[in-house]
Amino acid sequence: MTALNELKNRILLLNGSRRLAVAFIAGAIASLATAPFHFFVVCFFAFPVLIFLLDGCVPALNRGIVRRAMPSFLTGWAFGFGYFLFGVWWLANALLVEASDFIWFIPLAVAGLPAVLAIFYGLATALARAFWSDGLGRIFVFAAFFGLGELARSYAATGFPWNAIGYAITPTPIMMQSASLIGIDGLNYVAALLFALPAAFADRQARPVFVALLLIIPLGAIVSFGAYRLSQADNSTEGTILRIVQPSIDQSTKTGGRDLDGQFQTLLDLTDAEPADDQREPDIVLWPETAVPYLLTQAPQAVAAIADRLNDGQTLLTGAVRLATTAEDANPRYYNSITVLDDTGVITGSSNKVHLVPFGEYLPFRGLLESMGLRAIAAADRGYTAGDRREILTASGGISVYPLICYEATFPRHAVAAAGDADIIISVSNDAWYGNTPGPHQHFFQSRLRAVETGIPMVRAANSGMSGAFDAHGRNLIEPLALSLQASVDVGLPASTVETLYTSQGKYYHWLIFSLFLVSGLLMKWRENFTTA
């Protein structure tokens, strides 16, 4: 452990800008654990570096509480800034679609959002440092508050739980299965603990064998439980076939309202494609988010064309913009919706997006920001209205469908409501905004964990990819459709859902884990103080 002790001693002596620079670099390295890279092993280096940096943040006792916490807050913030800057830089790609209007906003999007998200890591490290110790106890305290910071990030200001650290220890189906017990919220605590534990090897009074067991046993349990759960999986399908349509229409074409008939024709042609030699015609067809380039209620010719392409008994589920007005409200309201059409062209159901994207689909503080020349990036000049609640939709064969639109699928609390009511979850998105960047890969991967948490198969259609389907254990039912590929693919739906502990009674297990980690850390701190007294 000589090299690790030497590294710790060097890091402990850092202060000021050098400490923040190292924290930033460690966070940037940790971002390699996100999709599409999944190099999660780098976190076993990045997080111990963060622990050593926090060891060096010795607060001045003659300062106020805020000034005493500032070094540890800034250290955690710098780590988070590096993690998010290199993890979500691709958001700027959406601003290039209409560069003449939004290019000036790119520096704020690239650096501003990571700076805000990093605040949660800064608060987590500041709180953890208030209960710090010299030994193993600080690792448990750190994990408790880091997981709490991730939870707060998923709720504050409508929430943005993108690239939560728990995803880093779920790169494969065998490692995902623990999400069926504690969900991503619980896994955030576990991941923070495991990634930070190697720092304990450098402690003066460390017992290497004990620390190694604390690291190996949970990892072994995660893999063992995953292997067992997958061995019990039902691999049968019920005979219902769903066709995923990925039209891969360029976002500038969609945004500019160009060639609407051509866009629509592409969707119809992919819907009408011949099935593979060993398959029959699909029962359900799924189009991605805002796929229909018209308002269906004002385009009878489009509805008729859809009915003409659907076979007897087929159902289309499509993302579409829906217009609604009432006698009491003369102002039109636009909804980002999923609409169901039967083979006669009758709209049999719809569900509106409930969780809109700030600055993408609506402007917070609209009056003020519009006076500054801003508008919602993905909603033209109209803006969207949030739906009151999601509706369970019914497709061919009486299949119950729970709809999630775009980044709603990254929120466990939205998906868990499907348990007991839905046969499948569908997720529609339009990641063409982000081009060939890590963004669509991250969206695809994070959506996948909702199937594991809920035990409900999920089918995902994205305009430019990645589109795919997962069984109740998060396994790919088909080879995912690659980015920018224009294609349709048929998938047999799994025969049943699987009840999970997370959906039945585990939604609040993360509070139990937080309490367990915090109490364990404080007891270890007390024991360390008692031993050295």
Side-chain angles (χ1 to χ4, degrees), residues 212-283:
L213 289 175
L214 281 177
L215 185 61
I216 293 171
I217 290 175
L219 283 173
I222 288 171
V223 173
S224 298
F225 175 73
Y228 169 77
R229 191 166 187 264
L230 291 177
S231 71
Q232 303 300 305
D234 181 2
N235 298 318
S236 62
T237 61
E238 62 182 11
T240 300
I241 298 175
L242 184 147
R243 172 164 294 176
I244 304 170
V245 172
Q246 181 174 296
S248 196
I249 297 169
D250 183 78
Q251 188 55 40
S252 61
T253 300
K254 287 176 67 68
T255 303
R258 298 193 298 272
D259 191 21
L260 301 184
D261 293 342
Q263 294 181 43
F264 190 60
Q265 190 62 46
T266 297
L267 291 161
L268 293 176
D269 290 344
L270 291 171
T271 297
D272 207 26
E274 289 294 324
D277 293 339
D278 58 344
Q279 289 186 328
R280 58 178 176 80
E281 293 286 341
D283 305 286

Side-chain angles (χ1 to χ4, degrees), residues 90 154 158-164 167 184-185 355 357 390 404-415 427 429 431 439 442-450 453 458 460:
W90 44 266
S154 72
T158 78
F160 190 74
W162 203 273
N163 286 346
Y167 290 110
I184 189 61
D185 292 332
H355 197 144
V357 182
R390 291 175 194 83
L404 295 173
I405 301 176
C406 194
Y407 97 136
E408 287 183 327
T410 64
F411 291 84
R413 63 180 182 269
H414 295 329
S427 172
S429 186
D431 292 339
Q442 293 171 8
H443 200 178
F444 179 86
F445 177 72
Q446 291 172 66
S447 301
R448 185 177 182 177
L449 215 66
R450 305 293 82 80
E453 289 170 333
M458 173 183 279
R460 184 174 194 270

Side-chain angles (χ1 to χ4, degrees), residues 428-506:
V428 297
S429 186
N430 178 21
D431 292 339
W433 288 98
Y434 309 113
N436 189 9
T437 67
H441 294 271
Q442 293 171 8
H443 200 178
F444 179 86
F445 177 72
Q446 291 172 66
S447 301
R448 185 177 182 177
L449 215 66
R450 305 293 82 80
V452 183
E453 289 170 333
T454 61
I456 301 174
M458 173 183 279
V459 181
R460 184 174 194 270
N463 170 36
S464 62
M466 301 169 59
S467 301
F470 322 115
D471 69 5
H473 298 81
R475 296 176 297 182
N476 286 320
L477 293 170
I478 54 171
E479 188 68 25
L481 295 179
L483 288 177
S484 303
L485 176 67
Q486 187 177 93
S488 61
V489 62
D490 296 343
V491 56
L493 298 182
S496 61
T497 60
V498 178
E499 184 177 355
T500 68
L501 185 65
Y502 178 68
T503 55
S504 63
Q505 53 187 300

